[in-house]
Amino acid sequence: MNVSSTAMTVLNPAGQILYANPASESVLGIKLNDILSRTYNAPEWKNTSLDGGPWKAEDQPFNIVLETKKPVTDIRHAIEDSSGNKKYLSVNGSPVFNKQGELSFLVFLITDISENVLKQKALEYNESKYRTITELSLSMVYDMDIKTGENIWGGAIQEITGYTAEEFQKIGYEEWLCAIHPDDRETAAKLFLESSENHKKFSAEYRYQTKSGNYVYIEDNGIFLYDENNRSYRMFGAMINRTKQMEAGFALKESESRLVMALDAVKMGIWSWDIQTRKIYWSPQTYNIYGYSSEDFEISEEKFIELTYKEDLELIGKEIRTLMEDPTRSAYRLQNRIHHSDKKIHWIESRGNIIRDTSGKPIKLLGTVLDITEIKLSEEALRKSDERFETFYQFSTEAFLIFDANGLTAKDSNFAFQRLFGFELEDTPKLKIRNLLTTGSLRKIREKIGNHLTGSLEIVCKKKNGDLFPALVSIKRFLYKETNSIAYSIFDLSPLKEVEELRLINSEIRDKNRLIERQKLELEMAFENLKRTQDQLIQSEKLAALGQLIAGIAHEINNPIGAVKASNQNMLDWQKRYGLASQLYREAILAVAGPEQKIVKTILGNLDQPIEFYTGKEERLRKKRNKEVFVSYGFSPSLAEEFAENWVDLGIGEIDPSYLPLFQSHYIKVFLDYFSLEIQFRRNTRSIQLAVDRISKIMYALKNFSRFDVDGKKSRASIPDTIETVLTIYQNQLKRGINLIKKFDPVAPIECYPDDLLHVWTNLIYNSLQAMSFVGELEIAVKDCAEEILVSLKDSGPGIPKEIQSKIFEPFFTTKAPGEGSGLGLDIVNKIVKRHGGRIELSSVPGETTFFIYLPKNN
């Protein structure tokens, strides 16, 4: 027997829901516990009329039955289910009276007519968007007083029985029972009795005599109510005419060969599964639906599982288990995906019926399968079209503001407008167009509206906080919610202006790059001249030191120049990719839900933070941690590893668990690509600026290697930030073979000379890298030591011999080969530290060299 597809609810006169049958969950789209916790008019239902308008109290079946004490039939309206989807319902209701004749309960039978309503709306959309659907409910409801045998009837009485509603109200229990076919009467009466005694709902099938004397096949579903003595005193249910289905069933049994031909004509396959032998039968058409021939392979349970889309297997298994375990069910209907032989995913609709033995044990499943791929594609296209139509307004990147026909009262605004102008949705009714524009822009708007002109205007808009921004506005009169309205479409031109500024900045960077190239050539020429005369100057110790200094400076300047060239090339590559990536990003951000949009916005906001660079060991550790987070959230190991690597490559820290819902989006790769480009832009512009600053610093050191400008002013800076700046410059050398360990305590910024400190870290870090031949371990620590900040740099190089440790801070002293160092680096470092009122110390043994720099917090 089929399980009832009709929701049944019982309410008290106060509107509280006392009972809801299991079918209510699927019909209403809400969990049974949530249904029972609500009242009839609870705002959570989000009731509306079929056309989307308010559902007036006088039109609601509960109020009608409560006031008239009479049944109602086919009252239609719409609700939203727990997922926010709109469902269209048909309601039949009837009052239930106690022994004193007072109203005790109200019983309602609710049918989900969403599919029919939506199809009808789609067909009649151009003609009338909100036309009422033709009557679809075919149920006849009844409410019987068991003691008196009196029945109250409602619903499709005449359609099923041929009697008018007035005639059939005279039919009591005895007359009703007598109208059941003699061959079915005893079985039906026994079923009613057993259901009453066992406190179970009933579902009966029998033949019923109509007014014309003919019999129709009835499906009767209902329940009993019980008094304080646990005796049933009321029986109510719904009768559905199943004549056509039954006759079709008989016809099927009588003409199996014709059915097979018909199934073949409509490309429908048949199947069966012997539960005991585990054997599966497929008709040739079923094989064709899957894209195979019965000669290619013999279908088995393993092959069926292999051909079924993995994510749908659980649903199919659950449905079959429920069908087999629930003796009240006899059939199921499922839509799922399969792996077709053409290597594409196809959709099928399967219908199955279960056959049980005399003891009720399932012995066989059989049914039909139909390829509905084209239907699914059409439905998906229609759904996407409807979603685009419904969501374009709210999720468009353009700001929309709608006024009444006179332009005086704001009626609605979308999320883009609220975000752009800084208002909340509840502020909309208070908005005035004159407060959103400059005086000149308001004059342009009024002229355009007054002259009924079309096209766009470039104007200046004003945000809630008073900030001005350029915008492109289009104005259109249209019918909005059945009233004449004026819509303003506002497009923020600020990003376009910023892109133009970016082009100018890029041009300036190229000019600076050319200037640096010329300076490099000049230095190289000077270096060559010095090399040619070095033999003569070597007799003079000071001139020899000067030659070494020039050689060291030429070597030093190559690194920032290379960084500028590399960053400039990266910027040119970035410019080629950014246009397409930003377009895909704008389309993707519209396609995802609000929570995912907020996650994207949060990540973009965090990109302004300093970008982290990891050593090989740190990178592997970060990837491992991120992978564990993704796996714990339910991602497959391979996908978790891919996302973990992508996130570490971005260089913005470990993955925040709150970001994980975004990675389930179909557009995650678009977002990751866009994040990567945003980071690349910030990283390269910073690298260029740092390289230019470093060259300036080198020139500064060359000019002032023996003394420093005592007139310079201090500024407040973070010591860890200055170290991170230098690590950024040396990121390529660090990644190559250095295991970098950072132990930075949280320390407050101090008054210092940040540019001079950059030179300190640059010299010490590069000396360590050279000492280790760019392979080894470098540990940098920042500690809070009461009145001082201690910075220590420890490398795993060969160490500094004890006999020369006291000389390393002397000017022109170096252990490097001629041309590789000037001998001034540590002398300059020492003077910078002393200028800060600090001190520098050295500890060195083979395999471990550490410089300790103490900087006072208050000097």
Side-chain angles (χ1 to χ4, degrees):
M1 263 176 273
N2 293 326
V3 176
S4 174
S5 59
T6 303
M8 181 178 297
T9 60
V10 180
L11 292 80
N12 63 18
Q16 296 174 319
I17 300 176
L18 304 178
Y19 168 82
N21 67 344
S24 300
E25 281 196 355
S26 60
V27 173
L28 301 178
I30 299 168
K31 293 294 184 182
L32 197 58
N33 290 339
D34 293 336
I35 296 173
L36 296 175
S37 67
R38 297 182 181 179
T39 58
Y40 180 80
N41 57 353
E44 291 85 353
W45 293 111
K46 297 184 180 179
N47 289 308
T48 64
S49 62
L50 283 182
D51 60 6
W55 201 30
K56 299 178 182 179
E58 59 267 23
D59 297 333
Q60 297 175 9
F62 177 83
N63 295 331
I64 296 173
V65 175
L66 189 65
E67 181 178 350
T68 64
K69 307 297 188 296
K70 294 181 179 180
V72 294
T73 60
D74 197 23
I75 303 296
R76 301 182 177 199
H77 73 296
I79 64 168
E80 284 191 14
D81 63 15
S82 57
S83 300
N85 300 315
K86 179 164 287 190
K87 299 188 72 104
Y88 296 93
L89 308 174
S90 173
V91 181
N92 296 304
S94 179
V96 179
F97 303 96
N98 60 19
K99 297 177 180 180
Q100 289 75 33
E102 298 172 340
L103 180 63
S104 296
F105 306 106
L106 295 88
V107 180
F108 293 95
L109 296 174
I110 307 165
T111 304
D112 184 352
I113 59 172
S114 298
E115 182 177 358
N116 294 314
V117 169
L118 292 176
K119 287 181 178 178
Q120 189 67 17
K121 282 180 175 289
L123 291 174
E124 300 181 355
Y125 183 82
N126 293 328
E127 193 174 315
S128 173
K129 187 176 181 180
Y130 302 108
R131 175 180 294 176
T132 303
I133 325 166
T134 57
E135 184 176 355
L136 296 174
S137 176
L138 297 176
S139 300
M140 183 172 72
V141 297
Y142 59 87
D143 175 12
M144 185 190 74
D145 187 315
I146 295 177
K147 184 176 181 180
T148 64
E150 181 182 357
N151 253 338
I152 298 176
W153 300 93
I157 298 173
Q158 190 162 5
E159 290 85 345
I160 294 177
T161 67
Y163 293 95
T164 64
E166 292 77 11
E167 292 173 333
F168 210 72
Q169 294 301 333
K170 301 175 183 179
I171 301 295
Y173 177 74
E174 293 298 331
E175 293 87 348
W176 171 41
L177 198 60
C178 289
I180 297 177
H181 194 283
D183 294 343
D184 302 336
R185 192 176 304 148
E186 182 178 351
T187 302
K190 182 179 179 182
L191 177 62
F192 296 148
L193 180 60
E194 290 177 350
S195 298
S196 174
E197 292 176 348
N198 297 327
H199 291 238
K200 292 184 178 180
K201 63 182 180 181
F202 61 83
S203 180
E205 291 183 352
Y206 50 79
R207 287 164 287 180
Y208 193 83
Q209 190 173 36
T210 65
K211 183 178 181 179
S212 64
N214 296 324
Y215 283 94
V216 294
Y217 287 90
I218 294 295
E219 178 188 335
D220 191 349
N221 299 288
I223 61 171
F224 291 89
L225 292 182
Y226 302 86
D227 58 19
E228 61 277 4
N229 298 319
N230 209 27
R231 290 197 297 264
S232 58
Y233 71 91
R234 214 152 198 84
M235 170 184 178
F236 52 88
M239 298 167 58
I240 303 173
N241 189 343
R242 297 296 190 193
T243 303
K244 291 183 179 180
Q245 293 92 322
M246 295 300 293
E247 291 176 349
F250 295 147
L252 178 65
K253 294 177 181 178
E254 294 174 358
S255 55
E256 183 176 350
S257 61
R258 283 180 291 172
L259 173 61
V260 171
M261 294 175 62
L263 290 175
D264 188 67
V266 298
K267 298 182 179 180
M268 179 182 288
I270 58 176
W271 57 270
S272 66
W273 177 42
D274 191 309
I275 299 174
Q276 295 177 342
T277 64
R278 320 300 292 182
K279 289 186 177 180
I280 298 176
Y281 164 76
W282 274 7
S283 69
Q285 191 59 47
T286 304
Y287 279 100
N288 291 339
I289 289 173
Y290 279 78
Y292 295 95
S293 169
S294 57
E295 299 176 357
D296 296 339
F297 67 90
E298 182 178 353
I299 187 61
S300 63
E301 291 182 356
E302 292 76 15
K303 193 66 178 178
F304 175 78
I305 293 173
E306 179 184 336
L307 295 176
T308 302
Y309 195 71
K310 184 177 180 181
E311 294 180 5
D312 295 342
L313 276 173
E314 183 178 353
L315 173 65
I316 296 173
K318 181 180 179 181
E319 186 69 16
I320 292 177
R321 285 193 300 272
T322 302
L323 181 64
M324 294 173 64
E325 295 170 0
D326 186 352
T328 65
R329 292 193 57 182
S330 62
Y332 75 87
R333 176 181 177 182
L334 279 176
Q335 293 182 352
N336 64 275
R337 291 160 288 183
I338 63 169
H339 296 286
H340 196 270
S341 64
D342 62 8
K343 307 302 181 183
K344 296 180 180 179
I345 300 298
H346 284 224
W347 278 90
I348 63 169
E349 178 176 280
S350 300
R351 301 191 184 201
N353 287 76
I354 192 166
I355 298 176
R356 305 177 188 272
D357 60 18
T358 54
S359 64
K361 179 181 178 181
I363 58 175
K364 193 172 187 178
L365 274 174
L366 51 85
T368 61
V369 60
L370 178 66
D371 189 334
I372 58 169
T373 304
E374 293 185 2
I375 298 175
K376 275 290 182 180
L377 293 175
S378 299
E379 289 178 353
E380 181 67 14
L382 179 60
R383 183 187 64 79
K384 288 182 178 179
S385 176
D386 290 342
E387 286 181 353
R388 286 196 296 269
F389 177 78
E390 293 295 333
T391 61
F392 172 76
Y393 171 69
Q394 282 298 335
F395 292 96
S396 173
T397 54
E398 295 185 38
F400 283 96
L401 182 62
I402 300 175
F403 281 83
D404 59 18
N406 298 320
L408 300 177
T409 303
K411 300 167 62 177
D412 200 1
S413 65
N414 68 347
F415 176 72
F417 172 85
Q418 297 152 22
R419 180 179 57 185
L420 178 60
F421 282 81
F423 291 101
E424 300 295 333
L425 180 61
E426 53 267 24
D427 297 330
T428 302
K430 308 172 188 176
L431 295 178
K432 304 294 181 184
I433 193 66
R434 64 174 178 272
N435 297 330
L436 304 175
L437 306 172
T438 61
T439 303
S441 297
L442 181 62
R443 188 182 305 112
K444 289 181 181 180
I445 293 293
R446 287 176 173 171
E447 289 176 358
K448 192 173 185 66
I449 294 176
N451 296 327
H452 297 281
L453 299 176
T454 59
S456 302
L457 282 176
E458 189 168 341
I459 60 172
V460 178
C461 296
K462 187 188 302 181
K463 297 184 179 181
K464 183 179 181 180
N465 61 8
D467 291 347
L468 302 178
F469 65 93
L472 193 68
V473 64
S474 298
I475 308 166
K476 184 174 181 60
R477 294 182 180 272
F478 76 115
L479 192 66
Y480 178 71
K481 294 183 178 180
E482 300 183 354
T483 60
N484 293 322
S485 306
I486 299 176
Y488 293 87
S489 170
I490 305 167
F491 182 76
D492 184 6
L493 294 177
S494 301
L496 298 180
K497 303 291 185 183
E498 292 173 359
V499 170
E500 186 61 32
E501 292 176 2
L502 180 62
R503 291 196 185 99
L504 294 176
I505 292 172
N506 193 40
S507 177
E508 293 176 2
I509 291 173
R510 286 196 294 268
D511 292 341
K512 289 182 179 179
N513 188 31
R514 287 192 289 269
L515 176 60
I516 293 171
E517 286 285 351
R518 287 197 298 270
Q519 291 176 343
K520 175 176 179 266
L521 290 174
E522 292 173 0
L523 285 173
E524 288 177 344
M525 292 175 63
F527 173 66
E528 290 297 328
N529 291 332
L530 286 173
K531 283 180 63 178
R532 285 192 296 269
T533 60
Q534 189 173 15
D535 290 339
Q536 299 173 358
L537 296 176
I538 198 68
Q539 297 174 3
S540 170
E541 182 178 352
K542 187 173 183 180
L543 292 178
L546 180 61
Q548 293 174 356
L549 173 64
I550 295 300
I553 294 300
H555 177 76
E556 288 284 328
I557 205 169
N558 277 328
N559 290 329
I561 288 176
V564 170
K565 291 176 67 177
S567 297
N568 185 58
Q569 183 60 46
N570 290 339
M571 290 294 288
L572 293 175
D573 296 338
W574 173 89
Q575 196 172 25
K576 295 176 182 178
R577 296 174 54 201
Y578 185 74
L580 177 60
S582 61
Q583 176 64 31
L584 294 174
Y585 165 78
R586 288 193 294 271
E587 295 176 359
I589 199 67
L590 293 180
V592 298
E596 283 81 1
Q597 292 180 356
K598 291 182 180 178
I599 294 174
V600 172
K601 182 178 179 182
T602 300
I603 295 174
L604 288 175
N606 291 337
L607 295 185
D608 290 329
Q609 299 177 2
I611 301 168
E612 296 185 23
F613 299 96
Y614 315 119
T615 63
K617 182 177 180 180
E618 284 182 323
E619 183 174 284
R620 291 191 295 273
L621 182 59
R622 293 289 177 103
K623 288 180 180 179
K624 179 180 178 182
R625 291 175 180 170
N626 286 346
K627 180 178 179 181
E628 291 172 352
V629 173
F630 280 108
V631 171
S632 67
Y633 196 74
F635 288 89
S636 66
S638 61
L639 197 57
E641 183 172 0
E642 178 184 353
F643 286 154
E645 290 181 355
N646 291 339
W647 193 257
V648 169
D649 291 340
L650 292 179
I652 54 176
E654 293 184 7
I655 185 69
D656 188 332
S658 64
Y659 297 166
L660 295 179
L662 180 65
F663 284 80
Q664 294 178 331
S665 169
H666 175 71
Y667 301 96
I668 181 59
K669 292 189 178 179
V670 174
F671 291 134
L672 289 175
D673 188 42
Y674 186 78
F675 296 156
S676 175
L677 288 173
E678 284 290 326
I679 291 174
Q680 181 183 353
F681 175 77
R682 289 166 171 78
R683 181 181 297 169
N684 284 286
T685 53
R686 289 174 187 167
S687 296
I688 291 172
Q689 186 60 49
L690 290 171
V692 172
D693 291 344
R694 186 178 173 198
I695 292 173
S696 299
K697 194 62 183 180
I698 292 170
M699 302 304 295
Y700 173 85
L702 178 62
K703 180 180 178 182
N704 303 285
F705 69 90
S706 62
R707 66 181 180 86
F708 287 88
D709 184 11
V710 297
D711 296 327
K713 294 183 180 180
K714 290 184 177 181
S715 61
R716 184 166 291 274
S718 168
I719 299 303
D721 286 353
T722 61
I723 297 173
E724 288 288 0
T725 299
V726 176
L727 292 175
T728 300
I729 296 175
Y730 287 124
Q731 58 176 300
N732 291 328
Q733 291 90 335
L734 292 170
K735 282 187 174 181
R736 194 172 299 133
I738 300 298
N739 181 24
L740 176 63
I741 301 173
K742 295 185 290 185
K743 297 180 178 179
F744 294 174
D745 289 348
V747 294
I750 64 172
E751 292 290 330
C752 62
Y753 303 98
D755 292 339
D756 289 347
L757 289 179
L758 285 175
H759 189 89
V760 171
W761 316 136
T762 299
N763 192 287
L764 294 177
I765 290 173
Y766 194 75
N767 282 351
S768 295
L769 297 179
Q770 283 187 316
M772 295 185 289
S773 298
F774 296 92
V775 177
E777 185 174 280
L778 176 61
E779 177 180 312
I780 304 177
V782 179
K783 296 184 178 179
D784 193 339
C785 300
E787 299 299 321
E788 297 178 309
I789 293 177
L790 169 61
V791 179
S792 63
L793 296 94
K794 180 172 66 176
D795 65 63
S796 60
I800 301 173
K802 189 172 183 180
E803 58 269 22
I804 67 171
Q805 290 183 10
S806 61
K807 299 180 181 181
I808 62 172
F809 295 107
E810 294 179 2
F812 300 105
F813 179 84
T814 179
T815 60
K816 300 176 182 177
E820 292 185 3
S822 64
L824 295 173
L826 290 178
D827 174 58
I828 294 173
V829 167
N830 190 30
K831 289 177 179 176
I832 291 174
V833 173
K834 288 182 177 179
R835 187 185 182 197
H836 282 80
R839 65 189 187 280
I840 182 169
E841 298 175 358
L842 168 68
S843 172
S844 181
V845 295
E848 181 177 302
T849 298
T850 307
F851 284 88
F852 302 91
I853 300 91
Y854 295 86
L855 299 173
K857 294 182 180 178
N858 300 304
N859 182 21

